[in-house]
Amino acid sequence: MSTESIFQTHLVLGYVAWLLCFGAYILPWLTSMDSVKAHRAIATLHSFRFFGLVFLLPGVVGPNLPASFATFAAFGDLAAGLLAMLALVTIRMRPVFWLFVVAFNLVGMGDLVLDYYHAIQAGLPARAGELGAAYTIPIIYVPLLMITHVFAFYLLLRPLAKAARVLTGEAAVS
């Protein structure tokens, strides 16, 4: 099996495993709490994204890890992580908290999508061994981050969808 096939298989199975775990354990837990607590839990997970700086650390990643991927991934993760931390420290200032919740989710999801793009452009799947010890980040951590971003956007948009149903009269019918 080629390096590219192994990497792609790992990536797909990472999503499958996390979706199964999310559906069985995390989703029921998050939906049992109010929106602020759910977003706080998601922000706590994302606050560890400073770890993405490891893509720049010689000896952890291979010397031929494409810089076009590594630099953008490292600093995108750092930005998302710092915004998540700012959301956490502003929990008592709700308008500011919500601003940082939206910001870290937009920046974080944008970072992940662009990281996939840069990885493909740089041919990273065929050179996945260059990730070194950081190989587990895209395989184990990134799927969970992406799934929680999608759920966070669902939570953020749910009140808007409910308000739209009320305005159009659908709420009275259903």
Side-chain angles (χ1 to χ4, degrees):
M1 211 171 184
S2 71
T3 300
E4 186 171 6
S5 296
I6 293 170
F7 180 77
Q8 290 170 341
T9 300
H10 277 154
L11 186 60
V12 168
L13 292 176
Y15 273 95
V16 170
W18 274 120
L19 282 168
L20 292 170
C21 180
F22 189 82
Y25 301 104
I26 302 169
L27 182 62
W29 178 64
L30 288 175
T31 55
S32 73
M33 55 181 77
D34 68 58
S35 187
V36 171
K37 288 181 181 175
H39 282 288
R40 188 178 188 185
I42 293 168
T44 300
L45 170 69
H46 286 265
S47 69
F48 288 89
R49 287 183 70 169
F50 63 85
F51 188 67
L53 286 172
V54 76
F55 288 126
L56 303 176
L57 197 55
V60 175
V61 296
N64 297 317
L65 183 65
S68 60
F69 166 79
T71 303
F72 192 88
F75 288 109
D77 274 347
L78 178 63
L82 291 174
L83 288 167
M85 288 178 193
L86 287 169
L88 292 171
V89 300
T90 60
I91 190 81
R92 294 182 191 271
M93 298 176 283
R94 291 298 161 79
V96 180
F97 168 76
W98 289 117
L99 175 71
F100 284 122
V101 165
V102 170
F104 96 75
N105 278 289
L106 286 172
V107 169
M109 185 176 247
D111 169 58
L112 296 177
V113 169
L114 288 171
D115 289 346
Y116 281 126
Y117 173 79
H118 288 134
I120 292 166
Q121 292 299 313
L124 185 63
R127 300 171 8 179
E130 290 297 326
L131 288 165
Y135 183 87
T136 58
I137 293 174
I139 302 308
I140 303 295
Y141 194 39
V142 168
L144 179 60
L145 295 175
M146 185 63 85
I147 291 165
T148 56
H149 276 310
V150 169
F151 185 70
F153 282 120
Y154 166 77
L155 287 177
L156 287 167
L157 296 174
R158 190 171 55 176
L160 297 176
K162 184 178 179 181
R165 284 194 308 273
V166 169
L167 289 175
T168 61
E170 288 180 38
V173 177
S174 49

